Every structure is written in structure tokens, then in C-alpha cells.
Amino acid sequence: MTAPVNTDLTQLDAAELGRRLAAGETSSVELTRAYLDRIAAQDGVLGAYLHVDAEAALARADEVDAARAAGAELGPLAGLPVALKDVFVTEGVPTTSGSKILEGWRPPYDATVAARLKAAGTVLLGKTNMDEFAMGSSTENSAYRPTRNPWDPDRIPGGSSGGSSTAVAGGLAPWALGTDTGGSIRQPAAMTGLVGHKPTYGAVSRYGLIAFSSSLDQAGPMARTVLDAATLHEAIGGHDRCDSTSIDAPAPVLVTAVQEGARGELAGLRVGVVRELGGDGHTDGYDPGVLDRVRETVELLEGMGAEVREVSCPAFDLALPAYYLIAPSEASSNLARFEGMRFGLRVGDDGSHSLEEVMSLTREQGFGPEVKRRIVLGTYALSAGYYDAYYGQAQKVRTLITRDFTSAFDDVDVLVSPTSPTVAWPIGARVDDPLAMYAADLCTLPASLAGLPAISVPCGLSEGLPVGFQVMAPALADDRCYRVAAAVEAALDAARGSRFLDELTRRAAA
């Protein structure tokens, strides 16, 4: 007896949707309309999107369908809808970075990643919600509204890319792009049962990405499966001469790595379990259920032939304070451009205020509390007399973290840990406790500070909520992340007898 066909297009992964489009079993217009209908029905509760232009999306889909009908040679992404975090500038489409200070701004150009997806034939559904200027771990810091977790609407979806994670997990987009400064792709992916990858710093262009912390920001994919994430990553990766930090290296080949990993052949792979990230003696603040799922996943890797050993990286304990000096310092400089003179919000320009007063009033009204907190912290850390004591010391710690990674990768091929110490917490539970909020990034910060690739893949449930398993690799070895993540995904699928996505789909539909 054959299994019933899933007729709800929004519950299929991007690879299957692409196959159906290529085979003529559905059209881009039909697919786009299915997602727009679901957005209209559910986003009022979930809050995944800040801007949706249904008319433009359907017109774009119709163009792709017409090209396909005319026999044009189209790529594998042609006709597939996609959602972009509202930090990527998009020509003629409102882009706010989740802030009132940019409300109504329509950029005159596309970010490189947006341009590459457009050239690949994708259909932009809309721009997703986010913590203001990517500053947050819960998407509660959006100036417009909080985003809710499809697994439990009373809980946060992670952040700052929580709009993208909710859009994909809730069936409001087949995949999406987010950005990761200190964990903002991986952590929300973990909390919503998705795959999220932070590429090697410089491997994906930052041109057109509204800057928070320039030495840390990195764009990357969020998807339901490892294969989908790899496919989206390949489409946006590669050198970009518009980005001075872009690595001049060939575009990554990642889908092949996923196919290899899915066969479960990990013989000879050396896996290091990071002691400082939830290992023995370092379990304070970690949910027991999270540690149990991670332990079980490590055992699965051993069962596939991987050689597992514990690795100590002492400087990782200092990642949190180092990050929260470096990132705010860079933010205080980057956000100085938002003063109401050239674009965005302008307050007090009635002839009764001086130029300086207009700038001050604009920034006071346009920035939210978390952004103001980080600007003040960063400005203080960079001020005369304190630069060496704070920012300078934090950069030294960053070097120590990088050295720990280098030493660890002399002995192992990848490092693994929980993605987040806890599952998603209730909305509002940490809003008044910034330190507790910052602690959500404990596991993701080291790879960000070192500029290394890291992926989060679902590894089970704790208290009925998703848990993420993080895989970190050396610079430009993103393929290792995908290979191991694909092996984990395949092994968990086989162990359960059905895809992990099935439970997510059921929850999201409910």
C-alpha cells in the first residue's frame, strides 16, 4: 500500500518543491499562492513577516512560469519562494532592520545575496521580522512586534533571525536567509527545529547587509533539511568584489557533502566534544534534556564509525564577555550613520531645533532600548582611557579563542556541542534580565569570534521542544559541517522511522 501524497505544498521541503516545479506537477504561481494564503491565515499570530508584497510575488512567479513554458533553461531554484531577513537591502522593497529609525525606507539597490537569489529565479515572499539591528536572542526586540515560535506561540523563536526561523518552521516559507553575528542563525534554528548554518566569515558576501558588527556579521541559510540549507548556501556563496572582506575562493560545493553524509559513512572522522560547552564540570545553565539529546547524538556518530574524544578549549569560557565588548563597540560606530539627515526617520525638523538637536531627537525616538544599551556600552569601551582595558583586552581573548580552535583542529576534524543551553523559553521571561538573555548565545559565540563555519541540526526534543546539535569546522571547511549534519539527520530519521520534520509539521499545522 502506497503512502498518501502530501497535497499541502507548504509542508514539503524545497528539494521536493523544486522537483515538482521541474516536472510540471505544480507551477510557481500555485506554489507562491499557497504560501501567501498560509501567511494571510497564520502570520497574524506568529509575526514572522514585517513586509509581504503578494502582488509582486505573484507577478514574479508568473514570469518564471512563462519562461519555463517557453522552454528557457532554468536553474534548480527557479520558481521557488524565499523569505529574507529584513537586514538585507532589497531594491524598492521596504527594509527596516527591525527598527523605527528606518521605517518606510526603500533601498535603491539589492544586497549581493538578494541579487544572486533573484538571478537564480527565486520568488521573494517578503522580509522577515528580527531583533532591531540584529541585537537580541529572542526577536522580542523588534520595534514592530515580537515573533512567536510555531511549536508553542507562547514561546520565543530565538533571535535575532526569529522571523526567518518562524517563517520556515511555521510553513510560511520553504526556506529563508538569516544573519549570524553571535549565533543568530544557529540559535533560532535550534529553537524551532530547523537546520541553520553560519558560513565561514567572508565566504558569503556582506554587501548590502545592514551592519551590526562588521567583523562578525555573516549571512546564511535556514531550512527544514540539510540538503535544502546546502542548496541555498551554494546559491548565495562565492567571492564578491563589492565586499572587501569577501574571500577570493571558488564557490563552495556542499550538496555533494550532504549526499556523502546521508549515507552515514563517517569512518575515520575525528569528532571533538567541547568540554567547556556543556561537558563534564560545565553543565550549569544547561537543560538536562538538552544535554541528554546531545549525548545521544554523539553516540549515533560513534555508531557510524566516528572517533569521538573530549576536547578542552579553556578560552571559550571568556567568549561571552569578549563578544559583548567587541560587538557593541563595532555597533556604536556602525550605527552612527543613522542620524536622520540622509534617510529614514527625522524628528524635530521644524525650524526650532539645531542640527545636533534633530540628530539627538531622531536617535532617541528611533532606537529601541537594547540598541541604546549596546551603543552606550560600545562607546564607553572605545573611549579614551578605557580602550585598552576593555576593547583591547576583548580582542586578545578573541585571539586566544582562535588559538584554542587551531589547537583542537590539530587533533580532530570537527567540534560538537549543544547549539543552545536551553530550549525556547516563554515570551517575556528574560526581557528584564539582559544577562540571562545574553547567556543564550554561550555555545554559538566561540565560532563567531573565530570566524569559523558552524551548523545547527535538530537532534530531538526536550520538554516537547526542539534541541539543536552544533557542528563546528575549520575555516572554509563548511562541507564538513554539512556532511556531519546530514549524517545526524539521516540517522535520526532512521532511528525514529520517520522524519523529524513530521512532528514539526504536525505542530505547525495545529
Side-chain angles (χ1 to χ4, degrees), residues 33-47 170-172 508-509:
R33 186 172 285 116
Y35 278 106
L36 291 172
D37 288 347
R38 192 169 177 89
I39 291 168
Q42 297 200 9
D43 200 45
V45 173
L46 295 177
L172 311 185

Side-chain angles (χ1 to χ4, degrees), residues 287-335:
D287 287 350
V290 169
L291 296 179
D292 288 343
R293 297 297 85 75
V294 170
R295 253 183 241 111
E296 293 162 3
T297 306
V298 170
E299 291 171 2
L300 281 176
L301 295 179
E302 283 188 293
M304 288 182 277
E307 302 170 9
V308 177
R309 66 192 73 172
E310 188 175 67
V311 173
S312 179
C313 299
F316 285 16
D317 286 337
L318 302 173
L320 186 65
Y323 173 86
Y324 280 101
L325 285 169
I326 293 169
S329 294
E330 295 183 4
S332 73
S333 175
N334 281 326
L335 270 62

Side-chain angles (χ1 to χ4, degrees), residues 8 10-11 34-49 145-151 153 166-173 224 504-510:
D8 187 347
T10 64
Q11 300 308 307
Y35 278 106
L36 291 172
D37 288 347
R38 192 169 177 89
I39 291 168
Q42 297 200 9
D43 200 45
V45 173
L46 295 177
Y49 285 91
R145 57 175 175 170
T147 298
R148 297 175 179 272
N149 193 322
W151 286 75
T166 287
V168 181
L172 311 185
R224 296 182 184 180
L504 184 149
T505 300
R506 185 186 69 77
R507 293 285 191 97

Side-chain angles (χ1 to χ4, degrees), residues 4-179:
V5 176
N6 186 347
T7 56
D8 187 347
L9 294 173
T10 64
Q11 300 308 307
L12 302 177
D13 58 47
E16 173 60 18
L17 292 174
R19 186 199 67 76
R20 293 191 181 195
L21 284 170
E25 296 174 14
T26 188
S27 68
S28 182
V29 167
E30 181 184 5
L31 180 56
T32 300
R33 186 172 285 116
Y35 278 106
L36 291 172
D37 288 347
R38 192 169 177 89
I39 291 168
Q42 297 200 9
D43 200 45
V45 173
L46 295 177
Y49 285 91
L50 289 178
H51 175 77
V52 175
D53 188 340
E55 184 177 344
L58 289 170
R60 170 68 169 167
D62 188 56
E63 288 177 10
V64 177
D65 286 341
R68 197 184 300 276
E73 187 174 339
L74 301 177
L77 273 65
L80 287 171
V82 67
L84 299 183
K85 185 177 180 179
D86 200 32
V87 75
F88 298 105
V89 301
T90 41
E91 183 179 3
V93 179
T95 303
T96 68
S97 201
S99 178
K100 288 291 185 181
I101 208 164
L102 283 176
E103 188 171 19
W105 181 55
R106 293 176 182 263
Y109 69 102
D110 278 323
T112 293
V113 295
R116 288 178 176 175
L117 290 177
K118 186 182 291 185
T122 61
V123 175
L124 177 62
L125 289 171
K127 308 293 289 295
T128 59
N129 201 6
M130 57 182 285
D131 285 301
E132 185 178 6
F133 286 104
M135 298 182 192
S137 301
S138 65
T139 318
E140 293 171 286
N141 291 327
S142 169
Y144 299 94
R145 57 175 175 170
T147 298
R148 297 175 179 272
N149 193 322
W151 286 75
D152 180 349
D154 291 328
R155 293 178 182 266
I156 58 101
S160 62
S161 304
S164 290
S165 67
T166 287
V168 181
L172 311 185
W175 49 15
L177 289 188
T179 59

